[in-house]
Amino acid sequence: MVERPLEMRRITDGVFWAGAADWDRRLFDALIPLPNGTSYNAYVIKGSDKTALIDSVDPTKTEVLLARLSGVERLDYIVSQHSEQDHSGAIPAVMERYPDAKVVATPKGKELLSMHTSVPGERISTVADGETLELGGKTLEFLHTPWVHWPETMCTYLREDRILFSCDLFGAHLATDELEERDENLVALASKRYYAEVMMPFRAIIRKHMARFEKYRIDKIAPSHGPIHPNPAFIVKCHDDWTSDRLSNSVMIAYVSMHGSTAKMAEHLAESLTKEGVGARLFNLAATDIGEYAMALVDSATIVIGTPVVLTGAHPAVVPAVFLTNALKPKLRFASILSSYGWGGKAVEQITSMLSGLKLEMLEQVVVKGRPLDKDLAALDALAVSIAAKHKEVVG
Ligand code: FEO
């Protein structure tokens, strides 16, 4: 059998995708589950005078990128929009292939590239916000977009073709054979998961950058992960919703149970909330996909943490989810804690302390000695009434 060589894929005249799909990757940052794999998108822009590569790929896919570039005889610029290794990791190998190529980055990008890769500082040119690079009939305009995802991040606008290369922003961990999205529901779900896990802490900053993009006419958005968006309004509207202050009338109940008491409380509370007209999403943290959990954090108004006391504190399987909740800075407004204990402990104090970065209004807790009795179930009913009343104040 003749092996088919890897090639670049044409997006429009002089603009090509040269990235790599990573179908088998199942974990990112040793934390984030990837049920759909991911992709690392690199793009080649050929002008009449110069050729540029926008970003590279994860180091594990270097050979794929080099193979796709095999038809590119001369590369003048490597635009590094983001120094994180899933985009910068193959730049040293590309520089070795093209010894005259210059790397282009923000000033902060130059610093971070030197820290995280072996790219020599003297081969990196810095660009100011709004600065342009002429390739001959193709003009790249660099837009500094710090904190989407790191402080050095930038996007690139290709003026003539009206394509925004948006780096991690508008991305999705989704391996696909489609260059452009066809199934908007699939892309919306994968993008929401990506937003929840990676971008949510930068919600306010993203809104600021999106407002800036409004003055650009954009025909396509080409992110650094997942498919290209041929209908930018679709993915922009999704992000407009996710980053807005809008809250859903729903409660996340995240719990662990060892012998059924905490589970009984969680399930009873969910029923009570439903009766009060409030949505309830249960997450058994002993088994849940943390990506699903993060997606629920995007717009839930309330979180309830349920934990049995183990030894003298919260169940260890609850702790990472609470820690992550605090780090992701969701819009949550209210919180409560359910706990079952045998002889004492500090679980409630621990969870309260771990959520302290979110400035939540803490509602009444339901703490039970042993199995929940009728009076405890009544306390859960009262908590549901209280949550429903709070939601009426904040949910539009
Ligand atoms: Fe896809 Fe922040 O790297």
Side-chain angles (χ1 to χ4, degrees):
M1 196 172 88
V2 178
E3 198 170 314
R4 188 176 169 79
L6 291 171
E7 295 173 339
M8 297 197 298
R9 297 175 69 180
R10 179 184 174 279
I11 299 170
T12 189
D13 286 351
V15 183
F16 303 88
W17 178 82
D22 200 342
W23 297 90
D24 295 332
R25 188 159 181 180
R26 285 292 169 266
L27 203 60
F28 203 86
D29 289 347
L31 172 69
I32 298 170
L34 302 179
N36 302 304
T38 190
S39 66
Y40 319 106
N41 296 333
Y43 300 97
V44 169
I45 319 294
K46 285 186 175 176
S48 55
D49 302 325
K50 307 277 188 192
T51 298
L53 172 71
I54 297 182
D55 285 327
S56 73
V57 296
D58 189 83
T60 56
K61 297 290 179 186
T62 299
E63 294 310 315
V64 174
L65 173 63
L66 292 178
R68 289 199 198 283
L69 293 177
S70 57
V72 177
E73 282 178 19
R74 182 184 163 83
L75 193 63
D76 301 281
Y77 303 105
I78 302 165
V79 176
S80 174
Q81 299 189 118
H82 182 17
S83 309
E84 192 165 8
Q85 292 88 333
D86 51 325
H87 310 292
S88 67
I91 289 179
V94 177
M95 293 175 78
E96 199 173 319
R97 163 84 66 86
Y98 301 97
D100 295 327
K102 270 191 202 154
V103 177
V104 175
T106 64
K108 191 73 181 172
K110 178 173 180 171
E111 179 189 328
L112 294 192
L113 267 181
S114 301
M115 275 169 54
H116 294 298
T117 72
S118 58
V119 175
E122 62 273 16
R123 283 186 65 183
I124 306 174
S125 301
T126 60
V127 286
D129 186 28
E131 191 171 333
T132 58
L133 182 64
E134 293 293 338
L135 305 177
K138 302 279 187 199
T139 310
L140 302 179
E141 179 178 346
F142 301 111
L143 305 171
H144 288 200
T145 49
W147 297 111
V148 290
H149 165 219
W150 282 5
E152 89 300 5
T153 321
M154 69 174 176
C155 297
T156 306
Y157 179 65
L158 175 53
R159 284 181 178 171
E160 290 78 3
D161 299 293
R162 298 185 287 273
I163 299 174
L164 178 70
F165 298 93
S166 61
C167 195
D168 278 343
L169 185 59
F170 305 124
H173 282 312
L174 176 60
T176 167
D177 58 349
E178 299 290 342
L179 201 51
E180 299 189 345
E181 71 199 19
R182 281 203 305 205
D183 181 345
E184 286 193 335
N185 289 332
L186 173 67
V187 173
L189 264 182
S191 299
K192 186 174 185 181
R193 179 181 274 264
Y194 185 86
Y195 167 81
E197 293 162 332
V198 179
M199 290 290 169
M200 188 154 57
F202 313 109
R203 184 167 73 92
I205 295 166
I206 291 171
R207 288 197 74 77
K208 195 181 75 172
H209 293 314
M210 283 172 53
R212 185 180 178 195
F213 295 151
E214 279 172 14
K215 70 173 194 255
Y216 290 81
R217 186 172 157 197
I218 298 169
D219 290 348
K220 287 182 199 284
I221 291 178
S224 295
H225 297 286
I228 293 168
H229 304 288
N231 173 15
F234 165 73
I235 199 66
V236 168
K237 183 173 182 311
C238 288
H239 281 73
D240 191 48
D241 182 36
W242 301 332
T243 59
S244 75
D245 291 332
R246 188 190 67 76
L247 290 160
S248 72
N249 181 24
S250 68
V251 177
M252 299 174 63
I253 305 174
Y255 72 96
V256 167
S257 192
M258 295 192 297
H259 300 292
S261 293
T262 311
K264 185 171 181 184
M265 285 195 282
E267 286 163 12
H268 187 91
L269 178 62
E271 286 291 320
S272 300
L273 286 165
T274 307
K275 275 188 208 144
E276 296 300 325
V278 177
R281 292 180 270 197
L282 272 84
F283 295 90
N284 179 348
L285 295 171
T288 202
D289 171 343
I290 206 70
E292 296 284 337
Y293 176 87
M295 286 165 78
L297 283 172
V298 169
D299 62 1
S300 291
T302 298
I303 190 164
V304 176
I305 304 293
T307 179
V309 173
V310 177
L311 300 175
T312 58
H315 192 290
V318 166
V319 172
V322 179
F323 186 87
L324 185 67
T325 302
N326 196 56
L328 289 177
K329 296 186 170 57
K331 305 174 203 172
L332 290 167
R333 295 286 300 276
F334 310 106
S336 178
I337 299 168
L338 316 178
S339 186
S340 167
Y341 69 98
W343 47 87
K346 298 280 183 196
V348 168
E349 291 86 340
Q350 286 174 343
I351 301 295
T352 304
S353 166
M354 289 179 71
L355 289 171
S356 62
L358 297 181
K359 310 280 183 288
L360 300 173
E361 182 178 339
M362 298 300 290
L363 306 179
E364 55 265 46
Q365 303 142 6
V366 181
V367 179
V368 172
K369 187 163 188 173
R371 65 193 164 83
L373 304 176
D374 286 349
K375 67 177 175 43
D376 305 310
L377 302 181
L380 292 166
D381 295 338
L383 175 59
V385 170
S386 174
I387 290 172
K390 290 290 179 187
H391 281 203
K392 283 202 173 75
E393 293 170 14
V394 301
V395 175

